[in-house]
Amino acid sequence: MSIRRFTLAITGASGAFYGLRTAEEILKSGAHLTLLVTRAGFAVLKEECSLNWHGNPAQIRDMICGHFNVDPVKLAYHAEDDLYAPIASGSAAAHAMIVAPCSMGSLSRIAGGNSGNLIERCADVMLKEKKPLILVPRETPLNEIHLKNMLKLARMHAAIIPAMPAFYHHPRSINDMVDFVVGRVLDMAGVEHDLFCRWGQPERDDR
């Protein structure tokens, strides 16, 4: 069976933990991951997660692999301006692409078909190849422009999963709330996980 490959982008919205947790679970599943981060995304990672990933692409990849304790064979990194990366082509499209968190600026440019950077180009590839594109917007309140862009993308069969944790599973920590959102993302991407108790299931004792 072929190895599943995913693309994950972290943009400049608050909520970088969603992207990191998603990456961790994808790698845990045995799939290969290509990680993309915008300049603003790196700033949020530093501000919210104390991760100062900087340097040339090879150095940043090594830092990312060290953070996740994963073999570099399983994790690729490309700079946001690297439009020659394999994933920029439909012939090398991933099984699914996730943008978590997704800023309203990135969402707008994806909705408009703007391929100004590698993240936007990869999202465009997913739409044209009719492969899963999952966006996790983290903004509130939402204005009419935001809502119209989400509707436009939903009509193109992108999945919009706002960072809205549920409470029926009685979260006990911020991690529990993050895991609920990430679990819903992974459900949509077809990645098995055990991050939260589903409706009707007994509560877990290992939290």
Side-chain angles (χ1 to χ4, degrees), residues 42-135:
F42 280 121
V44 175
L45 283 165
K46 183 177 180 180
E47 177 68 24
E48 296 184 350
C49 309
S50 300
L51 292 174
N52 189 16
W53 290 342
H54 65 279
N56 61 45
Q59 291 170 328
I60 293 174
R61 188 195 64 173
D62 288 344
M63 292 177 191
I64 295 170
C65 289
H67 175 80
F68 291 112
N69 191 27
V70 65
D71 191 311
V73 171
K74 295 183 178 180
L75 193 152
Y77 165 79
H78 298 283
E80 66 174 324
D81 61 351
D82 184 6
L83 293 174
Y84 286 95
I87 54 173
S89 170
S91 65
H95 286 88
M97 178 179 181
I98 300 160
V99 185
C102 183
S103 69
M104 290 299 105
S106 292
L107 189 142
S108 173
R109 290 186 289 274
I110 292 169
N114 185 333
S115 293
N117 64 30
L118 183 57
I119 291 171
E120 295 156 11
R121 170 57 186 169
C122 287
D124 188 48
V125 165
M126 301 308 287
L127 291 172
K128 79 182 185 71
E129 298 293 328
K130 302 189 184 306
K131 291 194 171 187
L133 173 63
I134 303 163
L135 308 175

Side-chain angles (χ1 to χ4, degrees), residues 168-169 180 183-184 187 191-202:
Y168 63 78
H169 60 305
F180 179 86
R184 299 299 288 142
D187 284 347
V191 177
E192 292 187 10
H193 67 90
D194 187 27
L195 291 182
F196 63 88
C197 294
R198 300 180 186 277
W199 179 255
Q201 291 181 339

